[in-house]
Amino acid sequence: MDILRILISVLLPPLGVFLKVGLGGAFWLNILLTLLGYLPGVIHAVYIIASR
């Protein structure tokens, strides 16, 4: 299941984080990082999915 979340995170980073943690702080941080640059959002999303 985590592989599917990682693939989703490459396309839409906030969606992958939302599927893993819900509407927590990590989700809002990921939206901010994705708005500042696509790559930081992807890196954060993969980190959140892989670490939890």
Side-chain angles (χ1 to χ4, degrees), residues 15-33:
L15 180 60
V17 174
F18 173 75
L19 292 174
K20 186 70 173 186
V21 298
L23 288 175
F27 171 74
W28 296 108
L29 177 61
N30 190 267
I31 286 182
L32 177 67
L33 289 171

Side-chain angles (χ1 to χ4, degrees):
M1 191 64 172
D2 281 346
I3 294 173
L4 180 61
R5 287 186 186 127
I6 289 174
L7 290 175
I8 291 171
S9 293
V10 170
L11 298 173
L12 292 170
L15 180 60
V17 174
F18 173 75
L19 292 174
K20 186 70 173 186
V21 298
L23 288 175
F27 171 74
W28 296 108
L29 177 61
N30 190 267
I31 286 182
L32 177 67
L33 289 171
T34 303
L35 290 175
L36 292 174
Y38 178 74
L39 189 59
V42 171
I43 292 170
H44 178 255
V46 170
Y47 172 75
I48 292 295
I49 291 169
S51 68
R52 295 186 182 192

